[in-house]
Amino acid sequence: MIEVKHLVKTYPARGGILKQKPVQAVKGVSFVLPDAGAVAFIGESGCGKTTIGRILTGLESYDSGEVLYDGVNLTRLPSAERREKLRKVQLIQQDPYAALNPSRTIAKTLMAPLALEAKRQQKSKAWMASRAREVLALVGLNPEVVLPKYPHMLSGGQRQRVVIARALTVEPDVLVADEAVSMIDVSLRLGILSLLLELRNKHGIAILFITHDVAAARYVGQDGRVCVIYQGEVVEEGVTDDLIQSPVHPYSQALLSAVPVLRGLEAPGPDRYIPLGEFQQDEGTACRFAPRCRYAEERCRTEKPRTVPYGNGGHRHRCHFPVARRVVAEPLEVNS
Amino acid sequence: MTARTPKNNAAPQIPPIHGESFLRMSWRVIKAKPTRVIGLVIIVVFALMGIFGPLLYPHNLPINPNAIYAPPSLRYPLGTDFEGTSNLALVITGARYVLFAALMAALFTVVFGTGIGLLSGYLIGTTDTVLMRITDFILTIPGFPLLVVLSTVWNFGQPVAMGFVLGITGWGGLARAVRSQTLSLRERGFIEAARGLGLPGWHIVFFEILPNMGPYIAMNLLVSITGAIYAEVGLFYLGVVPFHVNNWGVMLNLAVFTGGAMESAKALPYLLSPLVAILLLTLGVVLFLDALDEIFNPRLREAA
Amino acid sequence: MNASEPYSAAVGAGITIRNLTVTYHTDRGIFPALKDVSLDIRPQTITGFIGESGSGKTTLAMAIMNAIRTPGLIASGSIYTDGVGDVLKLQGESLRRVHGQHFGFVFQASSNSLNPLKRIGAQLLDLGRSHGIKDPRILLKEARALAERMGMDGDRVLTSYQHELSGGMRQRAGIIFALVLRAKVVILDEPTTALDMLSQQAVLEIIRQIHEERGLTSIIITHDMGVMAEIVQRVVVLYAGRVVEEGPTQDLLQRPRHPYTKGLIDAIPRITGDLAEAKPLAGSPPDLATVPTQGCVFRDRCSLRRPVCDLVEPLAQPAHGDGLVTCHGVNAHD
């Protein structure tokens, strides 16, 4: 279980002649990722969702707040122990091609972490070899075909499966999937998503799913929670299907409206709307979304909304004027 | 995709297939083009010359007062020098000093340059700053004049000494290049993944980062060899380094300043023999370089 | 606006492709990237080319502009477009003029199609000069109008470098380049692939609006059925260099005939409804080097496979009214 409390991360100003302002990427984010659970962070590029994933996997430090792994704050542990704990949280990156070393075969890529694991568990070389085959089979690849290959010889979907197999070599408790399917052919995405779902259901691996694609998040974590993040702040969170069916924050509504509607099979939601313009990152209003919000009023520009519950299903939001709207598409009856 | 098919592993406990061996793969790449084979043959011939050349002839090469500056003939395929010694024998026996010193210089350059570049780029921070200041210092030392000065106090009779001085002044550029490549590689996804898997730093540096610079480093090794040959032959030619042993640079010097090869055609074979040797070796290196990129880059190596 | 909306066939530029075969010549042999493709692209409609990587969708778009580069080669076929004639007969200067003035091409947002060292405006002027535009002011005015039409600050965009623009803005800048010379046919290569959902919807909406306003013939290349469903009027499904199905979007989505099309639709994770209905598409995308030379190219991934599929390549048969399907497993009369 991972508990995150009031996480804050600021990237320092870049030095040099052109001084840039420090960028606050994450502004007080809290959430809980239960064992074998699923939490999805959805938002646009640059909203801070990637930073959260990198902090959880130990690739990035944080300024304040707390991250508890099974109740332990790792910053207080000696570095060897910290590394040991962090190994159980594996990152699945967006670009599977960059995530694999182009000059090493899949066999070598898998054997390196397995050698460490074998040393730790006093296992033999033969164990390593059979384990390499096991993890590849687990992600739906044929070990004998894939092992001797270099990454460039595989398709995007196969590469991402190899990346997941490599993460599985250390028997992780948590996978952080950062846009893990966005660079893969749409036809192959569902295969990866169902693999992640299977790892959750059969192997009890919790998944933190970072994405801009709400439908993908729903597939992996229908029973989990969704946090909608805007400019480093969680603006709305709730149980996945609850939030998808009745979002109350206008930004969640915009994101959900943006999911393509399969015309002919689905009808667009009655309240669907899509903001067309491009906006400045920070226009200094109290509610950060106000400049893009079609429902914004004067109060939104002057008074910062606080996180408050909506109903009693653990649904929370950060909006002065919450109204549940139906923005997502609805399935049509099709007689073929 | 015509990847090499794994040998059939029926029992799952047999370790994974390691594909074909590095040597076999290299040979496959080299023989794909005849020019690469020619390059390799030339390099091998010169290497053999350097190793065994002096063993083929007596320590003091025979002189022949009747055949001073003789033109090429059956007995003297490359003609003779001012004492009537065979130029071919001189080129062959002189190869050891030149090639050994050049190899030493290239090894120094590559080991220092790569090592310091990798460390600097991977560790960043203070280590990087210190190492790069040292590198900048080395880069500002003009190597050739330094050698001229050093030669007045140092006896360059041993090729190792010559190689060391050439190498120690030459690694700066490579270190800078390796560092900048390391800096960009360490941000790549697979390095972050390796760190996330808890792989140790030495593994990341030597097994994840270094192989990606393989083509660049191997190319540098060969190019530094030819560079070092030019530098040392130049030193001997200018006569700033005392002659202790026979080598190509000494031959050039004597042909021009003693034999008057610039004015008379008589000493021309004496001048041309070492020059042709250097040209041939350079040609071999250039022809072979083409294979290196493919050997170290699996993407180019896609089985033809 | 939907697929059944009438269009006037007389205006705008239609494209007629007949028996087009494109081969790729590599060290490993000669592979057909497109095989015997015949297709009508209707004027003033948005047509979508959909398929996985290696399906030939980008090759088809490049062939339409006669812009196939080595190692690719247009082996046979003809491509007629209104007002130009057979594009494949053009070469040199006349071909260059057709690019830009008849065909506008919008590169993928993720690809670095813009010069990183030059401002957008300067690059537009270069484009104008190379097409013999006498008055650069008209060009810039047009570009500014287009930028503002797409919800951007025109002056800001023209004075920006590529890195100063967000992904969505860069994609819009690409559209400016494609349209500024008043092209009649616009080809967009994966216009939304690198964008997040909000920018994707915004860009699609802009493409739709501009398409309407200018009476364009638009072609969108994508691997995303969702994008298709949102904006495209007719869908062309490609697999391993063959057109396997073609028809109006709504009918094709509701009643896909080819098992591949059905697989693509079933593989979309949906925002509502039963998740168990989503089924991953089996197998790997086609690799040109291993595509069977005899019989149906899709048979290894197919649920309707039968003995004839191993031997005979299926022929196109009518479907979806004025569309087609290429499969042994579907009966033309049902």
Side-chain angles (χ1 to χ4, degrees):
Chain A
M1 187 171 83
I2 299 181
E3 284 167 88
V4 174
K5 294 175 186 165
H6 309 294
L7 191 68
V8 175
K9 167 77 185 176
T10 306
Y11 287 104
R14 285 225 202 111
I17 305 166
L18 300 163
K19 276 250 160 63
Q20 290 181 336
K21 273 196 289 182
V23 182
Q24 201 171 26
V26 181
K27 305 178 182 110
V29 168
S30 306
F31 65 95
V32 176
L33 177 61
D35 287 334
V39 171
F41 273 88
I42 60 176
E44 294 163 286
S45 41
C47 70
K49 58 191 198 295
T50 294
T51 309
I52 295 173
R54 292 174 61 83
I55 290 173
L56 252 58
T57 48
L59 288 169
E60 206 93 62
S61 61
Y62 51 95
D63 304 330
S64 66
E66 241 188 338
V67 182
L68 303 176
Y69 298 78
D70 296 323
V72 183
N73 186 338
L74 298 190
T75 46
R76 304 206 186 100
L77 293 181
S79 70
E81 250 175 87
R82 186 167 68 226
R83 228 177 295 139
E84 196 67 14
K85 281 260 179 201
L86 281 174
R87 272 178 53 247
K88 295 289 177 188
V89 184
Q90 284 294 319
L91 178 66
I92 309 295
Q93 293 162 336
Q94 175 177 16
D95 179 359
Y97 195 61
L100 293 170
N101 193 332
S103 65
R104 287 165 71 77
T105 58
I106 306 308
K108 283 187 186 161
T109 294
L110 293 178
M111 286 320 240
L114 279 173
L116 278 187
E117 209 58 27
K119 212 164 106 191
R120 203 172 275 117
Q121 303 183 19
Q122 317 244 316
K123 293 286 172 81
S124 64
K125 273 225 156 111
W127 174 84
M128 287 163 55
S130 74
R131 185 84 181 114
R133 290 184 160 82
E134 200 181 316
V135 291
L136 284 176
L138 206 59
V139 298
L141 293 171
N142 179 350
E144 304 316 320
V145 173
V146 171
L147 277 172
K149 290 198 170 162
Y150 285 93
H152 72 270
M153 300 169 167
L154 304 175
S155 73
Q158 288 174 319
R159 279 181 215 144
Q160 195 61 292
R161 283 171 195 268
V162 169
V163 169
I164 294 172
R166 180 180 60 190
L168 293 179
T169 58
V170 297
E171 293 163 31
D173 300 328
V174 178
L175 288 183
V176 176
D178 184 1
E179 298 284 12
V181 294
S182 71
M183 288 184 73
I184 294 168
D185 259 19
V186 172
S187 60
L188 303 173
R189 279 184 196 171
L190 198 71
I192 304 284
L193 293 176
S194 67
L195 169 62
L196 290 175
L197 188 61
E198 190 185 302
L199 291 174
R200 249 193 88 194
N201 291 341
K202 291 201 189 142
H203 301 268
I205 298 175
I207 291 178
L208 182 71
F209 199 79
I210 296 169
T211 187
H212 61 84
D213 181 350
V214 196
R218 174 173 183 256
Y219 190 84
V220 175
Q222 197 183 9
D223 52 338
R225 293 182 72 80
V226 167
C227 302
V228 178
I229 184 164
Y230 186 71
Q231 295 194 5
E233 283 172 351
V234 175
V235 294
E236 183 167 5
E237 64 157 309
V239 176
T240 306
D241 264 356
D242 184 26
L243 192 141
I244 288 174
Q245 288 307 323
S246 52
V248 298
H249 195 287
Y251 179 63
S252 315
Q253 290 162 2
L255 271 185
L256 288 162
S257 298
V259 177
V261 174
L262 299 173
R263 279 161 213 271
L265 301 177
E266 296 171 340
D271 301 320
R272 185 179 199 219
Y273 89 99
I274 294 149
L276 283 191
E278 291 277 339
F279 291 81
Q280 299 284 327
Q281 267 296 313
D282 191 351
E283 298 187 0
T285 48
C287 169
R288 291 177 180 279
F289 187 62
R292 299 173 72 176
C293 183
R294 61 146 56 159
Y295 310 106
E297 294 184 22
E298 191 46 39
R299 189 178 159 201
C300 305
R301 288 178 241 284
T302 51
E303 184 191 337
K304 191 167 176 60
R306 299 190 328 175
T307 306
V308 288
Y310 184 88
N312 39 19
H315 192 156
R316 282 189 288 270
H317 67 89
R318 209 184 251 272
C319 179
H320 289 309
F321 307 103
V323 177
R325 295 186 178 92
R326 283 159 58 219
V327 295
V328 295
E330 279 146 27
L332 290 173
E333 284 298 315
V334 180
N335 23 341
S336 46
Chain B
M1 246 165 276
T2 42
R4 301 169 296 281
T5 42
K7 286 159 213 116
N8 188 27
N9 285 306
Q13 60 265 35
I14 294 173
I17 319 86
H18 292 291
E20 70 187 319
S21 75
F22 180 76
L23 279 179
R24 181 173 297 187
M25 176 272 293
S26 306
W27 175 236
R28 186 165 55 77
V29 170
I30 290 166
K31 91 184 162 185
K33 282 189 187 168
T35 49
R36 295 171 180 173
V37 180
I38 296 172
L40 179 70
V41 167
I42 294 176
I43 293 173
V44 167
V45 165
F46 274 94
L48 291 175
M49 213 189 263
I51 299 167
F52 300 111
L55 305 179
L56 301 177
Y57 294 94
H59 186 67
N60 289 313
L61 292 176
I63 58 172
N64 183 355
N66 299 324
I68 289 168
Y69 292 132
S73 61
L74 264 184
R75 190 169 167 211
Y76 300 112
L78 296 177
T80 63
D81 72 351
F82 59 96
E83 296 178 310
T85 309
S86 164
N87 284 339
L88 181 65
L90 283 169
V91 166
I92 290 176
T93 55
R96 179 179 277 186
Y97 184 102
V98 175
L99 295 181
F100 191 60
L103 185 67
M104 282 292 117
L107 278 179
F108 273 125
T109 304
V110 167
V111 171
F112 265 93
T114 311
I116 287 181
L118 276 173
L119 275 181
S120 200
Y122 185 70
L123 295 176
I124 57 178
T126 322
T127 322
D128 179 40
T129 314
V130 172
L131 287 176
M132 280 304 110
R133 286 298 83 74
I134 297 174
T135 308
D136 290 343
F137 174 69
I138 292 290
L139 273 172
T140 55
I141 298 177
F144 204 75
L146 176 76
L147 276 170
V148 175
V149 175
L150 275 182
S151 61
T152 58
V153 291
W154 207 343
N155 175 350
F156 283 113
Q158 283 304 315
V160 182
M162 171 69 95
F164 179 74
V165 174
L166 284 173
I168 212 77
T169 54
W171 56 264
L174 182 62
R176 277 242 167 239
V178 168
R179 170 181 174 268
S180 71
Q181 287 204 41
T182 309
L183 280 177
S184 85
L185 280 169
R186 77 195 298 278
E187 301 296 325
R188 295 271 288 276
F190 60 86
I191 300 297
E192 293 195 333
R195 260 189 251 149
L197 290 162
L199 296 174
W202 58 265
H203 172 92
I204 294 176
V205 171
F206 291 107
F207 292 96
E208 305 283 348
I209 296 180
L210 187 59
N212 282 289
M213 288 188 279
Y216 186 73
I217 290 168
M219 230 167 254
N220 253 282
L221 182 72
L222 280 187
V223 172
S224 337
I225 289 184
T226 48
I229 291 177
Y230 299 149
E232 51 176 315
V233 167
L235 280 175
F236 284 107
Y237 169 74
L238 289 178
V240 290
V241 190
F243 315 147
H244 292 277
V245 271
N246 161 42
N247 72 48
W248 301 346
V250 176
M251 290 172 75
L252 287 177
N253 177 289
L254 292 176
V256 171
F257 297 114
T258 319
M262 292 302 185
E263 292 90 38
S264 79
K266 249 178 34 176
L268 212 51
Y270 188 39
L271 175 74
L272 286 181
S273 320
L275 275 183
V276 168
I278 293 171
L279 275 178
L280 252 176
L281 180 58
T282 312
L283 180 72
V285 167
V286 169
L287 291 178
F288 186 68
L289 272 181
D290 163 57
L292 283 178
D293 215 13
E294 253 178 68
I295 289 176
F296 286 97
N297 189 342
R299 270 158 296 183
L300 297 176
R301 210 193 300 145
E302 193 87 308
Chain C
M1 188 196 73
N2 60 43
S4 55
E5 217 168 74
Y7 53 83
S8 145
V11 229
I15 301 166
T16 310
I17 303 166
R18 287 292 173 267
N19 307 101
L20 178 70
T21 296
V22 175
T23 49
Y24 271 86
H25 299 249
T26 73
D27 296 344
R28 294 187 284 159
I30 298 172
F31 307 117
L34 287 176
K35 201 181 160 206
D36 207 17
V37 170
S38 294
L39 192 67
D40 291 329
I41 294 180
R42 289 157 173 75
Q44 292 190 302
T45 45
I46 308 184
T47 303
F49 293 173
I50 190 168
E52 293 163 285
S53 41
S55 61
K57 55 188 191 298
T58 305
T59 307
L60 179 54
M62 296 313 263
I64 286 174
M65 297 190 296
N66 193 3
I68 300 279
R69 303 206 193 292
T70 45
L73 184 79
I74 296 176
S76 60
S78 63
I79 297 169
Y80 283 92
T81 176
D82 301 337
V84 174
D86 190 348
V87 184
L88 299 186
K89 295 224 163 69
L90 298 178
Q91 50 186 342
E93 186 61 16
S94 51
L95 181 61
R96 203 178 61 79
R97 251 169 220 294
V98 166
H99 294 161
Q101 288 173 3
H102 186 80
F103 294 115
F105 189 80
V106 184
F107 288 92
Q108 282 190 34
S110 54
S111 77
N112 302 316
S113 57
L114 298 172
N115 184 338
L117 302 177
K118 269 188 166 176
R119 293 179 201 276
I120 306 293
Q123 296 182 54
L124 272 168
L125 290 177
D126 289 348
L127 179 74
R129 255 193 301 279
S130 69
H131 281 272
I133 302 290
K134 293 283 183 302
D135 190 351
R137 273 171 303 178
I138 297 174
L139 193 77
L140 289 178
K141 202 174 147 216
E142 172 89 12
R144 210 171 286 130
L146 272 167
E148 262 140 40
R149 177 69 196 78
M150 293 193 268
M152 300 190 291
D153 178 342
D155 287 319
R156 198 190 138 206
V157 172
L158 292 182
T159 53
S160 292
Y161 291 98
Q162 139 189 313
H163 67 266
E164 294 169 326
L165 302 177
S166 72
M169 291 169 83
R170 219 177 288 170
Q171 191 59 53
R172 289 170 216 207
I175 296 174
I176 297 180
F177 277 88
L179 290 180
V180 75
L181 296 174
R182 299 205 164 258
K184 295 170 192 68
V185 178
V186 177
I187 301 176
L188 301 111
D189 187 10
E190 302 277 7
T192 60
T193 296
L195 305 181
D196 54 47
M197 284 283 171
L198 266 177
S199 312
Q200 163 168 311
Q201 276 306 332
V203 167
L204 290 181
E205 187 56 38
I206 283 164
I207 293 171
R208 176 173 22 221
Q209 288 174 1
I210 291 191
H211 168 86
E212 288 275 286
E213 283 164 22
R214 302 204 159 200
L216 298 168
T217 301
S218 304
I219 295 173
I220 293 183
I221 305 167
T222 181
H223 58 96
D224 191 338
M225 197 52 108
V227 170
M228 287 282 155
E230 272 287 334
I231 179 171
V232 152
Q233 290 156 298
R234 291 188 76 90
V235 176
V236 179
V237 184
L238 286 132
Y239 187 84
R242 277 82 168 168
V243 174
V244 296
E245 191 161 6
E246 198 263 340
T249 310
Q250 244 178 35
D251 198 48
L252 191 124
L253 273 171
Q254 286 176 343
R255 286 174 284 275
R257 304 289 298 280
H258 197 281
Y260 179 62
T261 315
K262 190 167 177 346
L264 284 179
I265 294 168
D266 286 344
I268 308 170
R270 303 272 277 272
I271 192 80
T272 48
D274 188 3
L275 277 179
E277 276 176 21
K279 285 186 268 316
L281 190 64
S284 301
D287 175 6
L288 287 185
T290 55
V291 160
T293 50
Q294 195 190 22
C296 175
V297 288
F298 183 65
R299 61 176 186 261
D300 286 338
R301 299 170 78 181
C302 185
S303 55
L304 302 177
R305 183 172 179 171
R306 44 173 78 183
V308 66
C309 303
D310 293 357
L311 304 169
V312 185
E313 183 150 4
L315 293 173
Q317 45 182 321
H320 306 295
D322 52 356
L324 62 88
V325 62
T326 312
C327 177
H328 290 304
V330 296
N331 188 336
H333 304 292
D334 64 25

